[in-house]
Amino acid sequence: MSNSNFFALVAADARAVVDQITAGLRWFGAEARAAIAWVDRSIPGAQATLAALFKAADSAATTLESYAASGLSDVVSSAIDGAGAYLEAVIAGSGLDLAAKRTLTAADVAAVTAAQSIAQNAISVVAAKLLADTAQAETAAGAPPTAPPAAAP
C-alpha cells in the first residue's frame, strides 16, 4: 500500500468517525460542522476529538433544557453566561488565542479540552468546598449537626 493510499484510508476513517458523532447532534449540528472544518485536516484525531466534545455538549444541552423546563431557566441562562466567561478566562490563561487562529491544530484542541476539564473539575471541587465550609460554619456557631434519619429495621 502506498503512503498516499494509507493517508487517504486514515482520512476516510477519521471522517467516518466525525460523521457518526455529529449525525446525532440536535443542538450543535451546524456549529459542530463549522468547528470541525476549522480543525487542520492534516492532524489525525483532532477532528474526532472536537466532534466528541460537541457530542458531550449536545448531551449537556439536553440536560440543561430539562432544568430550564422545570422552572430554572433564569438560573440555567445565568450559569451558561458565567461559565462562558470563566472558560474563556481559563483558555486565555493557557496562552491560547482562539480569535487569532485560522485553523486549529491538535495542540489547540487539546488546550481547549484541558481548559474544559479544568473548569468542570474546579466547579466540582468548589461545590464540595462550599458545602464543607457551610457545615463547618454551622458547627462553629453551635448548631447541632443534623443526624441522618435512622434506617428502618
Side-chain angles (χ1 to χ4, degrees):
M1 178 186 314
S2 72
N3 279 347
S4 63
N5 286 342
F6 173 74
F7 288 119
L9 181 62
V10 169
D13 288 346
R15 184 80 239 157
V17 169
V18 169
D19 289 344
Q20 182 182 21
I21 291 172
T22 57
L25 294 176
R26 288 183 17 215
W27 295 97
F28 298 111
E31 292 88 345
R33 284 187 288 280
I36 289 165
W38 192 26
V39 174
D40 186 348
R41 286 176 172 67
S42 67
I43 312 286
Q47 288 185 334
T49 301
L50 196 58
L53 185 142
F54 272 90
K55 183 70 174 171
D58 187 60
S59 177
T62 301
T63 300
L64 290 174
E65 180 186 41
S66 70
Y67 285 122
S70 71
L72 297 172
S73 59
D74 290 345
V75 173
V76 169
S77 178
S78 176
I80 289 172
D81 291 344
Y86 174 60
L87 188 55
E88 285 178 5
V90 174
I91 290 171
S94 75
L96 178 60
D97 181 5
L98 288 174
K101 294 289 183 176
R102 295 189 61 80
T103 60
L104 292 181
T105 66
D108 298 332
V109 173
V112 170
T113 302
Q116 178 198 22
S117 179
I118 289 167
Q120 288 173 331
N121 288 316
I123 288 170
S124 295
V125 168
V126 168
K129 186 175 180 346
L130 176 66
L131 291 172
D133 289 350
T134 302
Q136 286 178 350
E138 287 299 315
T139 302
T146 307

